[in-house]
Amino acid sequence: MPPFKAGLKRKANSEKTSVNAVEDKDSSSDNSGEDLLQGDLDKESDATDSEHEDVDPGSDGERDEVLFDDSADSVLEDEESGSDSIEESSDLTDSEDDESDGSEEKNDSQSESEEEHSADSGAETGTAPSAAGSSDESNKKEKRETQKKETIKNQKPTQSQKQQSNKKQKQKKKTKQTPPKQKEKKKMSSVDVLASKIEEATVSTEPVQQRDEYESGDTSDEEDRVNTAGEVPMWWYDEYPHVGYDLDGRKLVKPPQRDHIDEFLKKCEDPEFWRTVRDPATGQDIILSKEDLQLLERLRNSRVPSATHDEYEPWVEWFSREVLATPLRAFPEHKRSFLPSRSERLQVARLVHALKMGWTKTRRQLAAERRQKKERRFYDLWGSAPAPARSGPRALPAPRRPPPPHAESYNPPPEYLLDQREMKEWEKLSETPWKRKYTFLPTRHASLRAVPAYPRFVRERFLRCLDLYLAPRAIKMRLTINAEDLVPKLPSPRDLQPFPTSEVLCMRGHEGLVRSADFDPSGQYVVSGSDDGTVKVWETQTGRCLRTLALGEAVARVAWTPAAGLSLVAAARGRRLLLLNPGAGVGAHRAAAATDRLLAEPPPAHDVLMDERTSSCVQWETVDAEQWARGVRISISHFKPVTHVSWHARGDYVAVTLAEGAARAVVVHQLSRRRSQLPFRRAKGLVQCAVFHPHRPLIFVATQRVVRVYDLVKQELVRKLQAGAQWISAVAVHPAGDNLLVASYDRKLVWFDLELSARPYQTLRLHGGAVRSVAFHRRYPLFASGGDDRYLVVAHGMVYNDLLQNPLLVPLKQLAGPAPRGELCVLDVRWHPAQPWLLAAAADHTLRLYA
């Protein structure tokens, strides 16, 4: 209900308020200006419980209290006017008697307790005691009434007191006429009383009035704002000037919105801010009325929300001692209802059996056990007897004292006795005894019987016991670990399919060792290089040889460019790096033609310039017509033999590793400008291979025992990985770029997690011989390795996107490799770009495909 303000009308219906409340307002004129701006709610004693009327207000007794010091709106006075008979539920009040035009029927329903009720204020209102109340309470009431009357006589009469005294005289005259009727009502039966009470019971509910939409004034149009938007979220209307629709379908315009500064100013200036809430349906600010605050306070105190509800109303005996004419149950009880049933007899037999066996205990036994548990038990902490089962700690043996030295003997050797100089020093340190050599004075006795009693024996024993009591105690348990617990719980290989399980194709045609092999970007063709000086191109599906390029010298390495629009193969033949075009018969003829057009015309001369250091070890040679016809497009000559070739992910750069090249062992060639670079100036070791990072401008350079990671843009060393191997043979980078796999000639596979540490994450020993090649699959979480033993190992290597979860490494399959030739077996392994197929270059002049 909105508060009183200048320019606003209060819409409270004065007819619905009780006249008693008006009289109380007159009587408590000092408190007429209610101040709801206080932080704490004024509380007032609740006189509903007559037993607490004589208790000191400062006592600790539990008393229900009225939350506000304003008795004008109190509704408890409606219950004060109840009669001493069972019909004390009448809702008629003194104010209603004045407005009843002298009707005697309503006056008869009022009780004589109205005369005894004090009309000074509405603060001590409460329900009248029932007819069954004790005589002591009535005596106490009479004493209080007499005391109040004396205090009223001593004070000067006010207008409100005069009005109340006049009303009292009227009520006394009326009540003098009512005794005959009350006596008649007392003779009424309980059923008639109940019927009359139900007829007189009325329910009065009043709606909570809300504050207006605008503070400028109150109009009848804005009185009932009902939002018919339904149960939709109100944030749907954040971008609209209205908050919903009324019953007639008109938009409910939002009130003026306030920002944080306005809220702060309103909080500082508006005294009603502390009890102002916003209606989410209409957006209006509603000031909680005094009744609303009382309701909230009662709910917080776990009390009945309505203050008019009487929790202690008299009990109505529905079933009384009076014999009714018509019985409620007209048939006699059956005979079996007086006899125990079979289920009950079995249940009793089970209980008796449980008592005999000791499973169930009697109440006396349970009480004795509870008393025994409550008794405090003591036990020897260092004793040999076990501690009680309830206490918990085990008995620990006390630590043994060290054996006494020779100086503590009753007859010590002469060298342990103190001479005169030592005795002087002993006496000198009397004030600082902790600096002495001994804590006791060595003395000699003729016999053990001559040894006197030790005077500090009891104190030392006490200190020893104190040390034992306060000393930390611990039991070292022996660990019992099963061998199965040490083995990690790995998933089943069936759950990690697909992966290659058997050999499906064998390609024969080379006459020497097949050193290297690779797939084209589409996976349709395979290129291989052999010691017989030829490079062959095969079809993956059928294993048919499509073209043979004779280079005249052993081919150490072949690698197909990863660029999908080019048909180019890098082949390392001795000291030369040859870029070959397999031709129009292999692959798409348009890609072959585009490759020829790109490499036919040399770039401008200013792009080809190189420094003296680079030009001394690298020469770009022109290709004659005969070499062009054989498929050679570019020839690059080096000062040392080429051992390893690696393409960049974009296909424009090629990293070449030279044997015994020292500081010039790694050379990077750029095809678009046809120039070379030497990225390093110092030799860090014997370089085995160099591999580009798949996404970032990084290069991995593997020496004999260390893998170094360099940043090509910043031209600095990023990380140094300690492999822990004797001789590194190959390096493979995961397609995501965060993990690295290193193979070594000492039969190890070392997995590095670059985001975790520079140390190996896991070392795998899956081969019985030297590991010469390792490769990751581009799409599937698979990696494979091959070496000098007769097996190719396929493993599952799952790398998770969650950086907090470590990679999962699971060995899956050992594939039977080709027959060894001498000490060599598998020289190179490669994965198909799209399928889980594995290609192995063998020492028995064959290529083998596993699927």
Side-chain angles (χ1 to χ4, degrees):
M1 183 178 296
F4 288 104
K5 282 191 177 180
L8 294 181
K9 298 179 181 180
R10 181 160 182 167
K11 295 185 179 182
N13 190 1
S14 60
E15 296 179 358
K16 295 184 181 180
T17 58
S18 63
V19 181
N20 265 350
V22 178
E23 294 177 359
D24 294 341
K25 288 181 181 178
D26 297 335
S27 63
S28 59
S29 59
D30 297 338
N31 300 329
S32 59
E34 70 173 16
D35 190 5
L36 294 180
L37 305 180
Q38 301 176 2
D40 298 332
L41 302 179
D42 297 333
K43 296 186 178 180
E44 211 176 66
S45 60
D46 191 356
T48 55
D49 192 357
S50 61
E51 294 178 2
H52 301 293
E53 291 178 359
D54 296 336
V55 182
D56 186 15
S59 61
D60 297 334
E62 292 186 14
R63 298 186 59 181
D64 297 332
E65 296 181 355
V66 179
L67 299 178
F68 293 88
D69 193 22
D70 191 357
S71 61
D73 296 335
S74 176
V75 293
L76 295 176
E77 295 183 359
D78 297 339
E79 297 181 0
E80 282 184 3
S81 59
S83 63
D84 292 338
S85 63
I86 303 178
E87 301 177 354
E88 63 183 9
S89 62
S90 174
D91 296 334
L92 297 178
T93 59
D94 298 343
S95 60
E96 291 175 345
D97 293 339
D98 296 339
E99 297 175 0
S100 61
D101 297 333
S103 61
E104 296 180 358
E105 295 178 359
K106 295 182 179 179
N107 294 335
D108 294 340
S109 64
Q110 298 180 354
S111 63
E112 295 180 1
S113 63
E114 249 178 348
E115 301 176 3
E116 299 175 1
H117 175 64
S118 173
D120 293 342
S121 66
E124 297 180 358
T125 59
T127 57
S130 61
S134 62
S135 62
D136 296 338
E137 296 178 358
S138 62
N139 295 334
K140 291 179 182 179
K141 276 195 171 185
E142 291 177 359
K143 290 180 182 180
R144 287 197 304 274
E145 293 297 331
T146 54
Q147 291 176 3
K148 289 180 181 179
K149 289 178 181 178
E150 290 177 1
T151 55
I152 292 171
K153 289 178 181 179
N154 295 333
Q155 298 177 356
K156 293 181 180 181
T158 59
Q159 294 181 359
S160 61
Q161 292 175 354
K162 290 180 182 180
Q163 294 175 2
Q164 292 175 2
S165 61
N166 294 334
K167 290 182 181 179
K168 279 187 176 182
Q169 293 177 2
K170 292 180 182 180
Q171 291 174 1
K172 288 181 179 179
K173 292 179 182 180
K174 293 176 183 179
T175 53
K176 287 179 181 179
Q177 300 175 1
T178 55
K181 294 185 179 181
Q182 290 181 357
K183 292 179 181 178
E184 294 176 0
K185 290 184 178 180
K186 288 182 179 179
K187 296 179 182 179
M188 295 171 63
S189 63
S190 60
V191 177
D192 298 336
V193 172
L194 178 62
S196 62
K197 183 176 179 180
I198 293 174
E199 291 177 358
E200 295 175 0
T202 57
V203 179
S204 60
T205 57
E206 297 183 3
V208 180
Q209 298 184 4
Q210 299 180 353
R211 191 176 175 181
D212 293 331
E213 177 183 3
Y214 306 108
E215 295 183 359
S216 59
D218 185 10
T219 61
S220 60
D221 296 335
E222 301 162 357
E223 182 175 351
D224 297 329
R225 287 172 53 89
V226 180
N227 193 348
T228 60
E231 297 181 358
V232 299
M234 297 310 297
W235 57 266
W236 287 6
Y237 294 93
D238 288 348
E239 301 179 357
Y240 297 94
H242 62 284
V243 293
Y245 305 88
D246 58 3
L247 297 175
D248 297 333
R250 294 173 297 182
K251 296 182 179 179
L252 297 178
V253 182
K254 289 182 180 177
Q257 301 297 317
R258 300 187 299 270
D259 56 5
H260 293 285
I261 298 178
D262 297 337
E263 290 287 346
F264 177 74
L265 294 176
K266 182 175 178 61
K267 183 177 182 179
C268 296
E269 297 174 357
D270 189 6
E272 303 294 341
F273 183 82
W274 66 276
R275 61 173 185 176
T276 303
V277 296
R278 173 158 293 190
D279 186 3
T282 60
Q284 296 179 344
D285 288 342
I286 301 174
I287 298 179
L288 298 177
S289 64
K290 179 180 175 182
E291 290 76 10
D292 298 338
L293 296 176
Q294 287 179 349
L295 176 62
L296 294 176
E297 188 67 21
R298 293 181 71 88
L299 291 175
R300 277 179 52 183
N301 295 336
S302 301
R303 298 172 61 188
V304 180
S306 177
T308 60
H309 177 72
D310 185 10
E311 300 181 62
Y312 307 101
E313 61 182 0
W315 174 257
V316 178
E317 296 183 359
W318 297 92
F319 299 95
S320 63
R321 293 175 295 178
E322 300 178 4
V323 180
L324 301 179
T326 303
L328 295 179
R329 301 181 64 184
F331 56 90
E333 296 290 342
H334 201 274
K335 182 179 180 181
R336 63 173 174 269
S337 62
F338 299 97
L339 300 177
S341 63
R342 176 177 175 82
S343 60
E344 293 176 353
R345 185 168 65 254
L346 293 176
Q347 188 175 2
V348 172
R350 283 194 294 269
L351 292 176
V352 172
H353 181 64
L355 289 172
K356 290 180 179 179
M357 299 298 293
W359 303 335
T360 303
K361 298 180 180 180
T362 60
R363 294 180 181 177
R364 184 176 299 177
Q365 294 175 346
L366 294 176
E369 290 183 358
R370 285 195 296 269
R371 286 195 302 270
Q372 188 177 3
K373 290 180 180 179
K374 290 180 181 179
E375 294 179 358
R376 193 171 182 181
R377 296 185 180 184
F378 301 94
Y379 62 94
D380 187 4
L381 178 65
W382 303 102
S384 59
R390 184 173 82 76
S391 57
R394 291 179 52 186
L396 303 178
R400 295 181 180 180
R401 299 192 64 177
H406 295 289
E408 291 190 35
S409 175
Y410 73 94
N411 189 11
E415 60 268 18
Y416 291 98
L417 298 176
L418 302 181
D419 54 8
Q420 294 181 359
R421 184 181 58 81
E422 292 176 345
M423 284 298 299
K424 289 181 180 179
E425 187 178 358
W426 176 277
E427 293 175 356
K428 190 186 297 183
L429 297 176
S430 59
E431 295 182 359
T432 57
W434 59 87
K435 294 183 180 180
R436 291 173 175 174
K437 183 179 180 180
Y438 300 111
T439 58
F440 57 92
L441 182 62
T443 55
R444 175 180 292 179
H445 301 279
S447 63
L448 188 59
R449 289 166 49 183
V451 177
Y454 183 51
R456 301 180 60 188
F457 176 77
V458 177
R459 176 173 175 79
E460 286 189 1
R461 276 295 173 182
F462 171 74
L463 293 178
R464 163 129 177 104
C465 294
L466 192 62
D467 292 340
L468 293 178
Y469 169 68
L470 298 177
R473 301 176 296 276
I475 299 177
K476 293 184 178 180
M477 302 296 295
R478 184 178 63 182
L479 298 178
T480 56
I481 301 176
N482 298 329
E484 298 178 354
D485 298 338
L486 300 177
V487 179
K489 304 298 181 183
L490 300 178
S492 175
R494 294 183 179 179
D495 302 335
L496 304 178
Q497 291 179 348
F499 56 87
T501 57
S502 61
E503 180 183 341
V504 295
L505 191 61
C506 181
M507 307 176 191
R508 302 179 184 274
H510 284 289
E511 296 179 358
L513 299 177
V514 183
R515 294 284 181 180
S516 178
D518 195 9
F519 285 96
D520 72 319
S522 63
Q524 186 177 0
Y525 304 102
V526 175
V527 62
S528 62
S530 175
D531 284 352
D532 58 0
T534 60
V535 174
K536 292 182 179 292
V537 181
W538 313 79
E539 189 177 9
T540 306
Q541 295 288 344
T542 61
R544 183 168 59 93
C545 182
L546 300 179
R547 186 174 182 183
T548 301
L549 303 176
L551 302 182
E553 194 174 347
V555 179
R557 200 78 177 178
V558 291
W560 210 303
T561 178
L566 298 178
S567 176
L568 200 61
V569 176
R573 190 204 67 175
R575 295 185 178 184
R576 283 181 171 80
L577 176 66
L578 302 178
L579 300 181
L580 310 176
N581 187 356
V586 179
H589 63 281
R590 293 183 180 179
T595 304
D596 291 341
R597 288 195 303 271
L598 181 64
L599 300 179
E601 299 179 0
H606 62 82
D607 288 345
V608 187
L609 294 177
M610 295 183 296
D611 55 356
E612 295 181 0
R613 181 170 176 264
T614 306
S615 59
S616 63
C617 64
V618 178
Q619 293 293 331
W620 289 72
E621 299 177 351
T622 58
V623 179
D624 54 8
E626 182 181 358
Q627 292 178 345
W628 187 276
R630 287 189 298 172
V632 180
R633 298 296 179 261
I634 296 177
S635 176
I636 307 173
S637 177
H638 304 81
F639 76 107
K640 291 292 183 180
V642 179
T643 59
H644 189 270
V645 178
S646 175
W647 283 95
H648 189 265
R650 295 185 179 180
D652 191 21
Y653 293 91
V654 182
V656 175
T657 304
L658 305 180
E660 300 178 358
R664 296 178 291 179
V666 179
V667 185
V668 178
H669 303 292
Q670 186 177 7
L671 302 184
S672 59
R673 294 186 178 182
R674 295 191 182 182
R675 66 177 183 178
S676 303
Q677 300 176 9
L678 294 176
F680 307 110
R681 294 186 177 272
R682 295 181 183 178
K684 297 294 184 179
L686 186 60
V687 179
Q688 301 298 314
C689 60
V691 182
F692 287 105
H693 192 279
H695 307 298
R696 300 167 59 187
L698 302 176
I699 186 172
F700 298 86
V701 179
T703 59
Q704 188 172 352
R705 296 187 179 182
V706 179
V707 178
R708 290 180 173 85
V709 185
Y710 294 95
D711 192 335
L712 297 175
V713 176
K714 299 181 180 180
Q715 298 182 0
E716 62 182 7
L717 178 65
V718 177
R719 182 171 293 183
K720 183 178 179 181
L721 306 177
Q722 298 288 345
Q726 297 297 326
W727 197 300
I728 295 176
S729 59
V731 173
V733 185
H734 192 270
D738 295 336
N739 294 268
L740 186 70
L741 195 59
V742 178
S744 66
Y745 291 114
D746 53 352
R747 302 176 294 178
K748 291 181 182 179
L749 281 176
V750 184
W751 182 291
F752 285 94
D753 190 347
L754 301 181
E755 297 292 338
L756 184 63
S757 172
R759 296 288 180 178
Y761 166 68
Q762 198 164 353
T763 301
L764 306 176
R765 293 176 174 85
L766 305 176
H767 290 272
V771 183
R772 295 187 176 272
S773 180
V774 65
F776 278 106
H777 199 286
R778 295 182 185 177
R779 295 179 55 187
Y780 293 95
L782 298 173
F783 66 92
S785 59
D788 292 344
D789 57 346
R790 297 192 57 180
Y791 296 99
L792 283 84
V793 177
V794 178
H796 175 85
M798 184 62 184
V799 178
Y800 299 95
N801 294 329
D802 187 5
L803 298 179
L804 299 179
Q805 192 170 2
N806 294 330
L808 176 63
L809 308 181
V810 183
L812 296 177
K813 186 72 174 178
Q814 273 189 339
L815 300 175
R821 288 293 180 93
E823 295 181 357
L824 303 178
C825 185
V826 177
L827 301 178
D828 195 11
V829 291
R830 283 292 181 271
W831 285 100
H832 191 277
Q835 300 295 332
W837 298 346
L838 181 63
L839 179 67
D844 60 348
H845 312 166
T846 60
L847 292 171
R848 299 177 184 268
L849 184 65
Y850 299 88

